[in-house]
Amino acid sequence: MLKIGILNITSYSGMELMRILTNHPEVEVMQVTGRSQAGKTLGEVFPFYNGKLKITESLQEDVDLIFSALPHKASAEIIGQYVNNDIPVIDFSADFRLPIDIYENIYDVKHPYPSLINKFIYGLPEKNKEEIKSSKFIANPGCFPTCATIPLLPLENINISNIIVDAKTGISGAGRSQNINHSFSEISDNISAYSIKGHRHEPEIENNINKNVYLTTQLSSITRGIFSTIYFQSEDKIDIENYKHHFDGMPFANVYSEPPRVKEVRGTNNCNIFIQELPKKSNINNYRIISVIDNLVKGAAGQAVQNMNIMFSFDETLGLNNMALYP
Amino acid sequence: MLKIGILNITSYSGMELMRILTNHPEVEVMQVTGRSQAGKTLGEVFPFYNGKLKITESLQEDVDLIFSALPHKASAEIIGQYVNNDIPVIDFSADFRLPIDIYENIYDVKHPYPSLINKFIYGLPEKNKEEIKSSKFIANPGCFPTCATIPLLPLENINISNIIVDAKTGISGAGRSQNINHSFSEISDNISAYSIKGHRHEPEIENNINKNVYLTTQLSSITRGIFSTIYFQSEDKIDIENYKHHFDGMPFANVYSEPPRVKEVRGTNNCNIFIQELPKKSNINNYRIISVIDNLVKGAAGQAVQNMNIMFSFDETLGLNNMALYP
Amino acid sequence: MLKIGILNITSYSGMELMRILTNHPEVEVMQVTGRSQAGKTLGEVFPFYNGKLKITESLQEDVDLIFSALPHKASAEIIGQYVNNDIPVIDFSADFRLPIDIYENIYDVKHPYPSLINKFIYGLPEKNKEEIKSSKFIANPGCFPTCATIPLLPLENINISNIIVDAKTGISGAGRSQNINHSFSEISDNISAYSIKGHRHEPEIENNINKNVYLTTQLSSITRGIFSTIYFQSEDKIDIENYKHHFDGMPFANVYSEPPRVKEVRGTNNCNIFIQELPKKSNINNYRIISVIDNLVKGAAGQAVQNMNIMFSFDETLGLNNMALYP
Amino acid sequence: MLKIGILNITSYSGMELMRILTNHPEVEVMQVTGRSQAGKTLGEVFPFYNGKLKITESLQEDVDLIFSALPHKASAEIIGQYVNNDIPVIDFSADFRLPIDIYENIYDVKHPYPSLINKFIYGLPEKNKEEIKSSKFIANPGCFPTCATIPLLPLENINISNIIVDAKTGISGAGRSQNINHSFSEISDNISAYSIKGHRHEPEIENNINKNVYLTTQLSSITRGIFSTIYFQSEDKIDIENYKHHFDGMPFANVYSEPPRVKEVRGTNNCNIFIQELPKKSNINNYRIISVIDNLVKGAAGQAVQNMNIMFSFDETLGLNNMALYP
């Protein structure tokens, strides 16, 4: 049994990780941290957890793998020491996802451990599976970049342009935060755009696919899920059958012949995809993709477990093979 | 035109009052306060407001009527001076609703102006219309007490017992507050009980109807509305026709032959009521009432305008005669 | 007082019209039809309606204006006779919005009264106010076309291209229909795309602005509202100040400096707009517009009343001047 | 591996059963029926299902256990033959839960197989575990009776009275039905009471606990879950510690010291309970219980799997040991 430690369990992605690992046959969660709630049992803070774990302030080193659900900067500050001591880490934050100049520019902070960035592999298994296999340190991708990058991977070598990612997200992506704008009264029966001057995930997507992208992030009146409508143009026609075959052997990326609905992936690690050539109205071809994920699973905790499975040579789908909770 | 001042406009009930008064032909809102947002225009804080009003820190006295949407204690502290200067006030808080001993006990504060309590009339027009007519100072009732008291008024002189008020409320009743428990992620697809050791509105209901009551307050996954299911027993049979006639001439209290749904009163000042004799299973008669209101209208701002209409001899329904926003 | 008849009151847009007209000082609703519920009082079907009207099967001709909330084809079949008898009509359906060839092609029906199409004016006051003034027959625009066309009007003479309208709509736009896909269990916590092969409103938008458009229609987990994110490109820079001035004197079209949220127009006739030049990433300029309306008000009943106001020389905002129901 | 057949998979409880059995290590679902969709693959109807199963019109007999998710009457009509052939059956319908006179009275039908009623055991493991162990035919309890009966079991031998069950349910309890009253527009932001003349589950609860009960069933604006607030009176004081110990050894019934929220059991087989002595206001003791379940899991499919586990001597919690999907 792999001994697991979780940093910052008291976040939605932290508890989602707990939910998934509870049913994973090869691991045992040994330690969980959460500064403001340290000293309490996990069940006192989250009554839907039945186990015995207690929340501590920091992590002892006798674990085989650390998941960090800390926010950016705070994560690097704390996991630096574990990385230096060669303890495997999967980091949910943005701290090790990007080249340092892009990172420091868009997050507007000084990176606490720049020398460690090169040790980390960007953990999007649909793109980097081989590198993940041989790595001990994983930068778990952002939720929007996961949902936008996967369906664009088959187009890597095609000259597509004018890429627009119109993304709608559930409010759980904003975390367990005290924010009047995230209250039920404000979100219910509402839709709003945010980070309108440029969301931090836009450069992450561009870095992934090596193309320019405009990303619009919009809060929808749902709890879980990202629904991305992606538009692009191409001089040459896209071969849709080829496109589908790109995902052969990737258990969580599925192309459907009807547009997926976001609830169909709720609680799962799936990225469901629909691609369509639009009726021709000019001398260029227009395409539309719809892709959906659960932001807390494939967009965070589930992808982290998928990365762990690959790193530790478990079956890639272990602990992640459930059907959606629907309705 | 009546010149109106509003204290603490930056609350949900404050803005709801603004919404109602905007369409009231006999008044003009001249001043609005809101400490943390003072200096801004009202439209900067609430983009759905189109007018020119600016938020100030305090109120000048050249108004004909003040509505206070301040929380308890803070309200008494501030409106005391206006009352002393004989400016009419309608107070949304609990500060002048109850005898001082009950008030200080359940709100666990020292009343700032105990001598003024007797100047105030409890502003439930279905109960106290005549007193309201001749008063300058109104204590606007609480939302749960409004929804529970009105349907029990016809039973004032009947010996009913074992009264249970099972109340479900929308989250807007909790106000515009930064509270993790009121976030969309926590409230959506959820139901929870709160103030389980005794809600402050329980003694207010008991004071209104002069009978013992058990009140359960429950947060529902809705924004607006209170849905109360009221159970009671009676040795004698209730005459349902008499019960209905009690509300003759009361424009906002309506008895229906089918149970009302809470959305049917959304945005209106109505209290819709259903009463039913349950099948007899013992030697006592059991009854069930369902009553619904919009907590921000009949439970706060609308009732305040109804009180104003009565105080200033306008038609009781002026500005309040709209249909529900449905669906 | 203008005497009004409403065809097919038993739809969401029909009852929304009733809600608005109830507070309109210059009209009285005299007759309402609704085939399946004929014979009942309106209050029996919609308990939130307090009045005395009875639902009839058909309309007598002694009215000054007819609103038809019938579906397409059924509407033309029934209002043809009234038009022939020169009774003013405002039609909510698509029957008189489009040139006959486009109409018959996209709605896949034979038009029942092709000769009447030319009598009708497309009732988008922000575009056609003068024609509406002098017309007796109005084709009320579709909800998506209203939300997409208004913000594109200032760009009529600019050479913009690659226009994408990513539209999210509340479920009330689908009407009061028995459809398993519109049940709460299916829509709640969900987002889905529909009419993916081409929504009927796409050619209506193209006809309005005389440019090619790709429209994506998506069901959101809300009841009311359309939130459109519009993308386009332009060789020349757009003058944003000029853009804003285009709407001067139009009471319901407002440009904001922050992106509007859809709930901010709930229950109102407003179309709130935000426009933004995106960071330049190629040799062409990219723009993003966000526009929101309430699909039942500006997208249907409210716009119909605005058209009536213009036709009958009432103030354009009469009966439509309320604040949003928020939250 | 136990070979499973499911009748009427195309219901919410049928697919929920599929979800649970997919992760159950001791069973394999071999056949699924669904009349209107027969011939399609299960994935065509429910895209969130990834497997290969095809929907058939009827079930072959080469299975070890049949789950019937058919509605009442239809269920008895079809499973009668399997019971006669001694194939184990767990029936979700009400057909074998009640004495025939009560059944025929409240369901207003003639029972198709009265002689089989005695073969069935009422499958509430917290009450009947020993009988379930030795039975081949299980009548799976109703959702409201499950949520109301479990917390009342410890009081079986205490003289409690005036029992009121105020139950709030998610709309998935109504099934996958085309009903205008269950559309998102009607349910969202709404609460309503139904079956106000007497819900069919009221006699089922009374039959379970051998006491009179008044049940109120209310539709809440949520998809999954039942939240029951139960009131009762008792001459003698209830020993709360004894009450809690009653559930020792029952893995899915848990008493909490704070009132549970309904989302805390979403996707789980738990029944979470809170009990409280209310402040004494008369010469009798008043109590309030709050109990929550997921209507599709503990209220249907999960309880069925729990019954299967007991019947076939698997661990009672096998396949049911997951954490709630929260938020």
Side-chain angles (χ1 to χ4, degrees), chain B residues 10 65 143 154 325:
Chain B
T10 57
L65 172 64
C143 52
L325 193 83

Side-chain angles (χ1 to χ4, degrees), chain B residues 166 185-186 214 231 263 279 326, chain D residues 166 185-186 231 263 279 326:
Chain B
D166 189 280
S185 293
E186 297 295 325
Y214 289 114
Y231 306 87
K263 208 181 198 170
Y326 193 103
Chain D
D166 188 280
S185 294
E186 298 294 326
Y231 305 88
K263 208 183 200 171
Y326 193 102

Side-chain angles (χ1 to χ4, degrees), chain B residues 275-300:
Chain B
I275 186 169
Q276 176 186 28
E277 184 181 327
L278 295 172
K280 194 150 186 174
K281 299 188 177 182
S282 66
N283 58 349
I284 195 160
N285 300 292
N286 279 268
Y287 292 87
R288 181 167 55 195
I289 287 172
I290 289 170
S291 64
V292 297
I293 63 167
D294 183 326
N295 55 299
L296 293 178
V297 188
K298 185 61 177 170

Side-chain angles (χ1 to χ4, degrees), chain B residues 162 166 168 185-186 188-189 196 202 206 213-214 216 218 223 229 231 233 263 276 279 281 288 326, chain D residues 162 166 168 185-186 189 196 202 206 213-214 216 218 223 229 231 233 263 276 279 281 288 326:
Chain B
N162 291 330
D166 189 280
K168 301 90 177 165
S185 293
E186 297 295 325
S188 169
D189 231 8
I196 203 78
E202 188 174 285
E206 292 181 323
V213 166
Y214 289 114
T216 307
Q218 290 149 109
T223 298
T229 313
Y231 306 87
Q233 299 185 312
K263 208 181 198 170
Q276 176 186 28
K281 299 188 177 182
R288 181 167 55 195
Y326 193 103
Chain D
N162 291 331
D166 188 280
K168 301 90 177 164
S185 294
E186 298 294 326
D189 230 9
I196 203 79
E202 187 175 285
E206 292 181 323
V213 166
Y214 289 114
T216 307
Q218 289 149 110
T223 298
T229 312
Y231 305 88
Q233 298 184 312
K263 208 183 200 171
Q276 178 186 27
K281 299 188 177 180
R288 179 166 57 194
Y326 193 102

